[in-house]
Amino acid sequence: MRKVLLPTIIIIATILLILRLFYLQVINDSLKLKSDNNAIKIQYEYPERGYIYDRNGVLLVANQPSYDIMVIPRELKNIDTLEFCKLLNVPKSEYIRIIKKAKVYSPRLPSVFLPQLNKLEFAAFQEKIRKFEGFYIQKRSLRDYQVNFGANVFGFITQANERTIEKNPYYNSGDLLGMQGVEQSYEEVLRGIKGVKYIQKDKYNREIGSYKEGEFDTIAVQGEDINLTIDAELQKYGEQLMNNKRGGIVAIEPKTGEILALVTAPSYDPAILVGRQRSRNYTMLYRDSIAKPLYDRGLLAEYPPGSPFKIMTGLVGLQERVIDEQTTFMCHHGFSYAPGRFMKCHGSGPHQLHNGIYNSCNTYFANVYLRIIGKYSNTPYAVDTWSNHVKSFGLGQFMGYDLPTGKKGKIPTSKTYKKIYPGWGYSGKTIISNAIGQGEVLMTPIQLANMMATVANQGYYYTPHIIKKIKGEKIDKKFTTKHVSTIDKKYFAPMISGLFDVYNFGTASALRVEGIDICGKTGTAENFAKINGKRTQLEDHSIFVAFAPKDNPKIAIAILVENGGFGATIAGPIASLMIEKYLRHKITRIDLEKRTLERSLQDRYAKYSGKKTVDSLLISKPKIGDSLLVMKPKKVILTDSMKKKN
């Protein structure tokens, strides 16, 4: 039996192999089309990218026609280069360089000679194209932005580079793909499917018709349209409020995790990254090391969270039962936690959880933190217990949202302090700055917003995401999966009560909006930098977190303004204005709006950087109290630093 088995297997395998080869070589001609067949020309038809809408169906990004001049080097014959270069306003040296590069890529395959001609340039070249054998026009579509905001949300379209082409067989030279923002995250959904035509050529390289009567031809399929979770009106308003400031705003719908606004400042008009000037404008944006308009501060910038982190300290203290609502600590405008060392504080007198929150009492939360760490006798387990509670709110880790960039932030663990203090040379007093969001704690604005969404939901959150609907598809299940924190639901009610009274009696009492119950927390984070080799304390960062309404919350928000000073000065007013804009679609606190829109921090930034710059590439000042409807793009205004480089 064994003697028969092996020959039988060999015979069967041989027969199968012969049948497969017969099918591929005689019956199925598709492999011929994938080879470098000199008698067949492959012509692509490029689909339109899917349209992008906001959560309410407002069109944000559409398409416009674009025309690329393509070249097949081996087909170049008798070209009058002087006439060609004059027609397209291209130096002859540039012509020679591009053709040389195209030959290196492939003598037989098309390469882009000149991308993104407008209609007039296309018409002029089309009239004389018959003179320039080896060149042809490839129609594509470029983005047509219906709004002049949201550049960091959308991303942009660029040509696929050689590395991408080698890595992904879908792309050829000259193909466009999305970079950054939703264009990158949802590239495969938005790009559609290219159409292909196979054209037969004779021995003189002349086209003689479709190969096999078009049997293998396919038509282009347009990309799928998508709806974002972004509220266009809120996004635009946030960018307006952040004019001449630097920082980030993130607003989330607590019950779903949908991102309502994702603002980074400074920003730019997305339209400047479309067309022939795209590369030049991108280079200017990239090189602007002062304003960093391509740096998404809402997702990437890690800051000490400051006083908003007291929310976490209080909740962990309740969960670990080292305090209750009546636990009292005495504040004397400073808390002595080591001989001769004090923690400054805003208040004085006895503080419990409720007034500790709305007065933002450092003394109270420092004592709570010492009790948390002391519960486990200042062991590594104590720090890790505290750390694990905090991380259950999505902090100190990549959050898994559907945007291609982000940072983890930092929630220290016992490993962190083992490196800093070898041999366990520390105690709760050593690391007490963590209690008030300083020390080793770092968070991004989107993490701060998610923290507030979790508090608003009394203990759970959904992974923040920016996709609401994909035509014909379902969104990823991970965005509808509930994440439950380690803090029992019963402990959120007293914390929310304290946050509500921040607006009634506390540090944000001047920021109330009549008729809207807002729960919030001011924050002022210390900010140090090296200037001339010395560690220098700069103006503090202004931070504010909030959600509203108090019952059945619809929006949770975090605002960070770099070097903005006290949390209630700049970040707080922005929070109140954004909340009212979203819930009412109008503004009643005209005084706050006027003050915020007119407030500029440019002189402060110039002092720190040593250079004068105008941050906003889009300066569009609204009238006070305007509805700020979605508008078409306005003229872009470049920064001073860009003008110098130009």
Side-chain angles (χ1 to χ4, degrees):
M1 184 67 181
R2 291 182 180 177
K3 291 181 180 179
V4 177
L5 182 62
L6 183 59
T8 302
I9 293 173
I10 294 172
I11 292 169
I12 293 172
T14 304
I15 292 171
L16 291 173
L17 182 60
I18 292 170
L19 289 173
R20 180 62 178 164
L21 289 172
F22 177 79
Y23 172 76
L24 293 174
Q25 295 182 12
V26 179
I27 299 174
N28 187 351
D29 289 339
S30 62
L31 286 183
K32 293 181 181 179
L33 305 178
K34 295 177 182 178
S35 66
D36 293 330
N37 192 326
N38 294 334
I40 298 174
K41 176 183 177 182
I42 299 176
Q43 184 175 308
Y44 291 104
E45 180 186 358
Y46 288 87
E48 283 195 60
R49 288 180 76 84
Y51 284 28
I52 299 176
Y53 299 85
D54 87 334
R55 66 186 296 108
N56 301 309
V58 175
L59 179 61
L60 304 175
V61 186
N63 298 303
Q64 57 182 308
S66 169
Y67 308 92
D68 292 352
I69 296 179
M70 308 293 291
V71 61
I72 302 175
R74 67 171 292 171
E75 296 181 8
L76 293 175
K77 293 180 181 178
N78 304 319
I79 302 295
D80 185 338
T81 54
L82 290 178
E83 181 183 4
F84 182 88
C85 291
K86 185 177 179 181
L87 178 64
L88 293 174
N89 193 27
V90 174
K92 188 173 180 180
S93 60
E94 185 68 2
Y95 172 91
I96 295 170
R97 185 191 69 79
I98 296 173
I99 296 299
K100 185 177 179 181
K101 184 179 178 181
K103 287 179 180 177
V104 171
Y105 171 69
S106 173
R108 294 187 300 272
L109 297 176
S111 296
V112 176
F113 180 86
L114 197 62
Q116 302 179 6
L117 274 65
N118 60 35
K119 289 181 181 179
L120 292 176
E121 292 169 329
F122 162 71
F125 185 74
Q126 180 77 353
E127 285 182 7
K128 299 186 177 182
I129 194 171
R130 66 184 183 280
K131 290 185 174 184
F132 309 120
E133 193 172 346
F135 290 94
Y136 71 95
I137 291 175
Q138 176 70 66
K139 184 179 178 181
R140 306 182 196 270
S141 64
L142 296 179
R143 283 315 205 183
D144 183 14
Y145 294 98
Q146 307 301 297
V147 295
N148 55 4
F149 54 84
N152 63 307
V153 174
F154 306 138
F156 56 89
I157 304 299
T158 187
Q159 282 189 19
N161 57 33
E162 291 180 10
R163 186 170 59 183
T164 302
I165 294 169
E166 289 176 7
K167 200 173 176 180
N168 191 332
Y170 176 88
Y171 298 102
N172 298 309
S173 177
D175 282 7
L176 303 175
L177 78 163
M179 289 295 291
Q180 299 183 11
V182 295
E183 295 281 18
Q184 180 174 334
S185 293
Y186 292 96
E187 163 69 6
E188 293 186 10
V189 172
L190 291 167
R191 74 187 181 191
I193 302 172
K194 286 185 286 192
V196 185
K197 289 184 179 179
Y198 299 96
I199 301 169
Q200 187 84 40
K201 297 187 291 185
D202 62 16
K203 64 181 180 180
Y204 299 107
N205 206 36
R206 295 175 301 194
E207 296 180 8
I208 57 175
S210 296
Y211 176 73
K212 288 211 169 184
E213 299 181 352
E215 180 182 344
F216 298 102
D217 293 354
T218 59
I219 61 172
V221 179
Q222 182 174 346
E224 299 292 352
D225 296 343
I226 64 174
N227 284 73
L228 304 182
T229 60
I230 293 293
D231 182 289
E233 191 173 358
L234 187 67
Q235 178 74 24
K236 181 175 182 64
Y237 190 53
E239 292 191 20
Q240 296 282 0
L241 294 173
M242 288 295 287
N243 264 337
N244 296 313
K245 307 169 189 70
R246 297 179 190 170
I249 302 174
V250 181
I252 295 174
E253 184 178 68
K255 291 291 187 288
T256 61
E258 294 178 355
I259 299 172
L260 302 173
L262 180 62
V263 174
T264 183
S267 189
Y268 59 92
D269 186 337
I272 70 172
L273 295 185
V274 175
R276 295 274 296 277
Q277 300 302 313
R278 188 205 70 79
S279 180
R280 172 176 164 271
N281 288 339
Y282 179 82
T283 300
M284 289 191 292
L285 291 170
Y286 181 79
R287 290 179 177 173
D288 192 338
S289 60
I290 303 171
K292 297 182 180 179
L294 293 174
Y295 182 69
D296 193 327
R297 287 167 165 87
L299 301 176
L300 290 170
E302 297 170 302
Y303 307 93
S307 290
F309 196 74
K310 293 171 183 175
I311 297 169
M312 298 305 308
T313 303
L315 288 172
V316 175
L318 291 170
Q319 181 67 34
E320 287 296 316
R321 298 181 183 178
V322 296
I323 60 164
D324 57 29
E325 293 176 56
Q326 285 72 44
T327 302
T328 304
F329 297 107
M330 188 63 66
C331 177
H332 301 287
H333 293 288
F335 169 68
S336 177
Y337 62 91
R341 298 173 67 184
F342 292 86
M343 179 177 284
K344 293 180 181 179
C345 194
H346 311 292
S348 63
H351 276 80
Q352 299 173 333
L353 178 66
H354 189 74
N355 65 339
I357 280 289
Y358 72 69
N359 282 332
S360 196
C361 179
N362 289 342
T363 297
Y364 178 85
F365 291 99
N367 273 291
V368 174
Y369 187 76
L370 286 179
R371 286 197 177 186
I372 295 169
I373 302 301
K375 179 180 178 181
Y376 301 101
S377 304
N378 292 299
T379 62
Y381 180 75
V383 175
D384 290 337
T385 298
W386 165 82
S387 180
N388 290 335
H389 282 308
V390 174
K391 287 181 177 179
S392 74
F393 284 67
L395 310 181
Q397 57 197 289
F398 291 114
M399 301 185 67
Y401 49 72
D402 52 343
L403 287 161
T405 189
K407 287 288 185 70
K408 292 174 67 174
K410 187 176 182 181
I411 301 299
T413 65
S414 60
K415 289 183 180 179
T416 307
Y417 295 116
K418 188 176 181 181
K419 291 179 182 178
I420 299 175
Y421 306 103
W424 190 252
Y426 71 96
S427 66
K429 293 179 180 180
T430 315
I431 59 175
I432 200 165
S433 294
N434 291 336
I436 58 171
Q438 298 285 164
E440 284 68 48
V441 177
L442 294 174
M443 291 169 63
T444 60
I446 194 169
Q447 289 175 325
L448 274 167
N450 193 66
M451 179 189 79
M452 287 307 283
T454 309
V455 175
N457 290 336
Q458 299 186 50
Y460 71 88
Y461 70 91
Y462 291 95
T463 299
H465 54 284
I466 207 160
I467 192 70
K468 188 168 182 69
K469 184 172 70 175
I470 302 173
K471 188 177 179 181
E473 294 186 27
K474 291 184 178 180
I475 67 170
D476 197 315
K477 285 184 179 179
K478 72 178 181 179
F479 300 134
T480 55
T481 301
K482 183 186 287 189
H483 302 276
V484 181
S485 76
T486 57
I487 308 298
D488 293 344
K489 183 178 180 179
K490 63 183 179 181
Y491 295 124
F492 285 91
M495 180 59 67
I496 290 172
S497 177
L499 294 172
F500 178 56
D501 280 341
V502 168
Y503 268 84
N504 293 320
F505 313 115
T507 51
S509 57
L511 307 177
R512 287 197 301 265
V513 178
E514 192 66 33
I516 301 178
D517 292 338
I518 305 176
C519 300
K521 184 74 191 75
T522 52
T524 308
E526 291 182 349
N527 176 33
F528 294 89
K530 277 191 176 181
I531 298 179
N532 298 323
K534 295 181 179 180
R535 188 172 185 266
T536 306
Q537 183 166 4
L538 308 181
E539 192 78 30
D540 294 337
H541 296 320
S542 178
I543 304 173
F544 200 93
V545 295
F547 65 84
K550 176 175 177 284
D551 301 317
N552 192 22
K554 300 290 193 302
I555 179 174
I557 193 166
I559 295 98
L560 189 142
V561 180
E562 292 182 3
N563 311 115
F566 293 117
T569 303
I570 295 183
I574 292 174
S576 293
L577 292 168
M578 291 283 283
I579 287 170
E580 185 176 23
K581 170 62 72 174
Y582 182 66
L583 296 179
R584 290 178 171 168
H585 304 286
K586 65 178 183 178
I587 295 296
T588 59
R589 288 298 307 266
I590 305 299
D591 57 324
L592 290 183
E593 184 178 63
K594 182 176 187 297
R595 190 171 79 218
T596 303
L597 290 170
E598 292 176 350
R599 184 70 182 270
S600 171
L601 300 181
Q602 294 299 341
D603 290 343
R604 191 171 294 174
Y605 299 141
K607 179 179 70 174
Y608 295 145
S609 68
K611 298 177 182 179
K612 192 173 182 179
T613 177
V614 176
D615 274 353
S616 291
L617 304 184
L618 169 65
I619 299 178
S620 173
K621 293 183 179 179
K623 294 178 182 177
I624 308 304
D626 259 2
S627 63
L628 293 172
L629 297 175
V630 178
M631 296 182 285
K632 289 288 288 181
K634 295 185 178 181
K635 185 177 179 182
V636 66
I637 300 177
L638 299 178
T639 65
D640 287 348
S641 57
M642 286 177 154
K643 291 175 183 175
K644 290 174 185 176
K645 289 167 186 167
N646 191 25

